[in-house]
């Protein structure tokens, strides 16, 4: 058996989903979460559990040889959902042990006639094959009125433009942003977009068909909403690096909808709004276009592709809240994310998370200096939070029935050290990045759009 930093190589988990309905938990459907995926066979399975279509939990179980996979997963799901109340904060659950949130009647269908015109922005760089998979999932959305904008960031080849023109034609708007950086690419998307709401996702996700409707319905219901985020689950769990990341929280923020209101700060988050990582992630977010433009869009000195390494999404979340808008997390807005596959990928990601965290805090203070007194008041607890933001992964979590929980695979200390090193480097990285982009106008303030705008 191959050896890995986790010890013996863990078995691949087959990612799938099933839907339960009725008081006795009858199985309505069971199949691969991703279009065209292989049929589920015996072995370890990671499954999203839906209740009447609504995501409520994830489970991990082992399907014995010869047993129907649907029966095995349904039995595990029924046992888990029976009388279970959420006890852990979002993101603190181990792989396969996400507690279901309180169930509210789905209201997205009632609001579909009122859904705002939406622009979906996908920033990409030299990943045409992955991008095609993402775009295909966007064309399967049940939202009645949206456009797709692809932003080609500092391209080295014409592969992305060729893909868009050959396969999608006028159905996808193509824009080029020559300055590298995810925030720069997102700002170019803001300039091109014509929707009242602008949604963002990455080129390594597959969007659930109901994603865009669920993500944008809250804007129709709440005129004071500035931002919405959604649930991110793993599309594949094939490698030890992917399993380790997901076993310690991954990108998921739980199955309970939550609203963040700056007029009524949450009592259970004393560092609000500085703990922006709990609000959501950049692979699944949407903004009211006027609110996003009013705050100046994304800080171009943050994000992947800059010395800051990340933090562009966190900066935008906090800036929208500081401007007085509400933010809502809604787990019905689901995308499946392709986690990085190798140990080197995971090491780079750990360092980038640390750097992005402190870079975004630096950006907030640089652009919102009035927040400094509030941060100073919260600084002692903030420093404690910074020290524990990586250590929480070291805590043992409850493993799923088939194993593969946090207690099976402790978070390697060298990854925690890399995150802390990133935290130390983040402010300097932001300063370097800011010098590079100083003087650049916001794209929507330019009179002429760049070559390549579609």
């Amino acid at each position: 058996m191959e050896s890995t930093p986790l010890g013996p190589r863990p078995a691949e988990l087959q990612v799938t989903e099933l839907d339960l309905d009725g008081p006795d938990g009858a199985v309505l459907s069971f199949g691969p979460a991703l279009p065209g995926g292989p049929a589920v066979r015996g072995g370890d399975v990671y499954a999203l559990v839906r209740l009447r279509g609504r995501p409520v939990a994830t489970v991990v179980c082992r399907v014995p040889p010869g047993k129907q996979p649907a029966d095995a997963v349904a039995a595990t799901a029924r046992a888990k959902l029976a009388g279970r109340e959420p006890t852990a904060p979002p993101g603190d659950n181990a792989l396969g042990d996400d507690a279901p949130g309180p169930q509210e009647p789905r209201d997205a269908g009632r609001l579909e006639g009122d859904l705002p015109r939406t622009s979906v922005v996908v920033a990409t760089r030299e990943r045409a094959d992955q991008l095609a998979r993402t775009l295909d999932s966007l064309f399967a959305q049940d939202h009645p009125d949206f456009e797709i904008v692809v932003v080609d960031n500092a391209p080295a080849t014409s592969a992305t433009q060729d893909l868009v023109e050959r396969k999608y034609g006028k159905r996808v708007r193509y824009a080029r942003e020559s300055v590298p950086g995810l925030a720069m690419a997102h700002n170019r998307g803001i300039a091109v977009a014509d929707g009242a709401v602008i949604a963002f996702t990455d080129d390594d996700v597959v969007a659930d068909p109901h994603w865009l409707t669920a993500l944008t319905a809250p804007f129709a219901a709440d005129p004071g909403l500035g931002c919405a985020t959604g649930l991110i689950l793993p599309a594949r769990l094939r490698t030890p690096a992917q399993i380790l990341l997901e076993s310690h929280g991954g990108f998921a923020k739980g199955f309970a909808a939550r609203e963040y209101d700056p007029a009524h700060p949450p009592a259970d988050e004393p560092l609000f709004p500085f703990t922006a990582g709990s609000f959501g992630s950049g692979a699944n977010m949407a903004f009211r276009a006027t609110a996003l433009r009013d705050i100046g869009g994304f800080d171009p000195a943050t994000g992947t592709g800059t010395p800051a390494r990340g933090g562009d999404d966190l900066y935008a979340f906090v800036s929208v809240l500081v401007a007085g808008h509400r933010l809502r997390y809604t787990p019905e807005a689901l995308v499946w994310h392709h986690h990085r596959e190798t140990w080197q990928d995971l090491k780079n990601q750990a360092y980038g998370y640390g750097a992005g965290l402190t870079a975004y805090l630096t950006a907030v203070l640089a652009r919102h200096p009035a927040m400094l007194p509030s941060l100073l008041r919260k600084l002692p607890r903030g420093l404690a939070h910074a020290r524990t933001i990586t250590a929480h992964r070291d805590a043992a979590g409850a493993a799923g029935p088939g194993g593969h929980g946090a207690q099976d695979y402790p978070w390697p200390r060298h990854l925690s050290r890399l995150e802390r090193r990133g935290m130390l480097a983040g402010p300097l990285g932001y300063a370097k990045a800011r010098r590079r982009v100083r003087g650049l106008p916001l794209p929507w303030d330019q009179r002429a759009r760049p070559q390549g705008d579609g």
Side-chain angles (χ1 to χ4, degrees), residues 173-209:
R173 300 178 66 186
Y174 173 88
R176 185 185 301 116
E177 174 52 61
S178 60
V179 180
L182 184 58
M184 288 295 301
H186 281 169
N187 283 344
R188 177 59 56 196
I190 298 171
V192 173
D194 66 14
V197 169
I198 305 176
F200 298 87
T201 194
D202 291 347
D203 62 3
D204 55 1
V205 310
V206 171
D208 180 80

Side-chain angles (χ1 to χ4, degrees), residues 220-290:
D222 180 5
L225 193 73
C227 178
T229 62
L231 177 64
I232 302 174
L233 293 179
R236 297 278 189 263
L237 290 172
R238 290 178 171 174
T239 72
Q242 291 174 327
I243 292 172
L244 177 66
L245 178 63
E246 192 62 31
S247 71
H248 290 270
F251 297 92
K253 308 301 179 186
F255 289 87
R258 183 156 192 188
E259 185 172 274
Y260 297 92
D261 188 343
H264 304 283
D268 60 341
E269 293 199 16
L271 295 176
F272 178 86
F274 298 107
T275 51
S278 65
F279 304 156
S281 299
N284 191 352
M285 61 184 180
F287 298 84
R288 197 177 298 276
T290 53

Side-chain angles (χ1 to χ4, degrees), residues 327-376:
L327 182 153
R328 182 172 177 82
Y329 170 73
T330 176
E332 284 194 73
L334 167 66
V335 300
W336 302 89
H337 181 263
H338 286 78
H339 294 351
R340 303 182 190 189
E341 296 184 355
T342 70
W343 289 113
Q344 187 58 50
D345 288 338
L346 195 55
K347 289 164 65 176
N348 294 341
Q349 192 170 19
Y351 183 88
Y353 280 166
L357 172 67
T358 52
Y360 116 78
L361 288 171
T362 305
V364 167
L365 295 180
R367 293 180 172 269
H368 303 285
M371 296 190 69
L372 181 58
S374 175
L375 179 60
L376 290 176

Side-chain angles (χ1 to χ4, degrees), residues 122 204 215-216 296 321:
V122 185
D204 55 1
L215 190 64
T216 57
L321 289 165

Side-chain angles (χ1 to χ4, degrees), residues 383-424:
L383 291 174
H385 174 73
R387 287 193 298 268
T388 60
I389 196 169
T390 58
H392 82 278
R393 293 193 179 101
D394 297 327
H404 307 296
Q407 63 189 15
D408 295 289
Y409 306 133
W411 188 252
R413 291 184 178 179
H414 73 275
L415 292 183
S416 294
R417 288 195 294 269
L418 279 171
E419 283 192 78
R420 289 191 287 268
R421 285 173 53 192
M423 289 178 188
L424 294 174

